[in-house]
Amino acid sequence: MNHGQGAVTALALARGETELVSADGAGRLLRWRRETGEALCSMFVAHRSSIWAMLLTSDDAEIVTAGSDGTLGRWHRTTSTPATDPLTAHADWILALRATRDGSELLTAAHDGTVRRWNRADGASLADPLAAHDGAVRAMALTAEDREIVTAGNDGAVRLWDREGAALLTQFGGHIGPVPALAVSADGAEIVTGGRDGTVRRWDRVGGGPIGASLVAGAPVRVLALTGDGEIVAGCDDGTVRRWRRADGRPVGTALETAHLSVWAITVTADGREVVTGGWDGFIRRWARDPAEPEILRQARSRSRIVAAPRLLIRGATPF
């Protein structure tokens, strides 16, 4: 699967996981049949410039996008038509996007260092901007039951916030430099972060301290995913995917050379049997992961579609 020359910046699986939605650095969206790579719609432009974050609502009815134009877009998934007018959420690049489990609230995090909460139905602001970091908020997640927001920033900090009251609950320190990658375990007990310093770190959400030693990726970590059976999967700027066991931090297999110039997006199927990666090179690749043979990731076969398009659009200083 190929976006042409547009860097793949976000991936999402629809329920049933037969459909994959991708976004790119040229502001475009495309839907794919996951197992064959067949395009399910024409590629369409959702933003004037790069999309940095994208999600599917819990009912799969809408694709929500966030871009470097500071706006949120909502799109009917099956028709590629706007569900509403764009919402101007920030005066700066939006780098992270989340939704509550019931889909009623959207949260955005931006290069301006703030996190904002929005009513999805009417676009109304639900609270004053939360000044989360000194510098860009690079990643954001919600803990179980949506009670807390976890943020990671260019300042190297990882912070836990009360969602409703906006109070700072805990700060985790340890990374040197920006922290672009963040994931929370399904039970909300563990926070996993990946840094430009080439390390992955595990944190006890309740106790506030580190879990074990830092894990060495050997290259800047850009994206993270957690599998249901306890693996940490990291996509790195050298084009590799690296894996560890959450329980003890032991590496799983060796670094996988994906052929991406850099891994910019990653997702894992619910059963953990497939890892999907998207890269700076515009390709989407599927990797078979057999829990019976955890040391090995094999490339899954799919047809590809090549589309000519402009490369990632960046104006001014990059936040990366």
Side-chain angles (χ1 to χ4, degrees):
M1 290 174 271
N2 192 346
H3 268 253
Q5 294 180 342
V8 178
T9 54
L11 296 168
L13 286 164
R15 286 183 301 176
E17 300 183 326
T18 59
E19 182 177 320
L20 176 72
V21 182
S22 57
D24 73 13
R28 306 170 307 174
L29 292 173
L30 189 57
R31 297 165 45 227
W32 309 87
R33 195 176 305 281
R34 177 179 63 86
E35 293 185 347
T36 66
E38 174 191 358
L40 297 175
C41 69
S42 298
M43 191 176 290
F44 68 97
V45 176
H47 288 260
R48 298 191 303 269
S49 51
S50 303
I51 297 172
W52 294 118
M54 178 266 295
L55 58 81
L56 290 171
T57 54
S58 56
D59 59 4
D60 281 346
E62 290 182 6
I63 305 168
V64 185
T65 56
S68 56
D69 55 8
T71 68
L72 279 179
R74 290 172 49 201
W75 311 88
H76 294 296
R77 180 179 62 84
T78 57
T79 64
S80 305
T81 56
T84 186
D85 291 335
L87 168 66
T88 299
H90 295 262
D92 210 335
W93 296 25
I94 303 174
L95 301 177
L97 171 66
R98 287 291 183 267
T100 53
R101 289 185 300 170
D102 64 6
S104 65
E105 182 176 323
L106 299 171
L107 296 93
T108 55
H111 191 248
D112 60 13
T114 67
V115 171
R116 302 203 65 179
R117 298 170 51 212
W118 308 94
N119 184 303
R120 176 178 152 225
D122 60 11
S125 175
L126 296 175
D128 292 334
L130 169 64
H133 288 267
D134 181 14
V137 183
R138 292 293 300 274
M140 175 178 59
L142 289 168
T143 60
E145 300 180 357
D146 298 328
R147 292 178 180 173
E148 295 153 343
I149 305 168
V150 189
T151 60
N154 263 2
D155 55 8
V158 178
R159 295 185 173 123
L160 183 69
W161 307 87
D162 177 74
R163 180 177 134 250
E164 293 286 350
L168 178 62
L169 302 176
T170 311
Q171 176 164 309
F172 309 92
H175 285 287
I176 300 171
V179 185
L182 171 64
V184 178
S185 62
D187 62 4
E190 186 173 324
I191 296 166
V192 183
T193 56
R196 296 287 299 169
D197 58 7
T199 67
V200 171
R201 295 172 185 264
R202 296 163 292 155
W203 311 95
D204 181 343
R205 180 186 64 83
V206 177
I211 300 173
S214 61
L215 311 177
V216 178
V221 178
R222 184 170 288 273
V223 286
L224 284 173
L226 304 181
T227 67
D229 61 356
E231 273 190 19
I232 301 168
V233 185
C236 300
D237 268 351
D238 63 355
T240 62
V241 168
R242 290 172 166 84
R243 297 179 295 147
W244 300 266
R245 298 195 319 193
R246 268 181 52 212
D248 56 16
R250 290 182 60 185
V252 178
T254 57
L256 171 69
E257 301 285 347
T258 66
H260 293 301
L261 299 177
S262 175
V263 180
W264 279 46
I266 198 164
T267 191
V268 180
T269 56
D271 63 7
R273 290 187 172 273
E274 188 167 300
V275 176
V276 186
T277 57
W280 167 262
D281 53 3
F283 281 90
I284 298 168
R285 293 185 169 93
R286 299 167 47 229
W287 308 93
R289 175 183 172 272
D290 185 349
E293 296 182 279
E295 301 294 314
I296 301 171
L297 278 178
R298 296 182 177 90
Q299 187 161 9
R301 293 182 179 181
S302 68
R303 295 179 295 179
S304 63
R305 180 173 186 263
I306 300 175
V307 181
R311 188 168 279 280
L312 174 72
L313 175 60
I314 296 179
R315 293 192 179 99
T318 171
F320 305 111

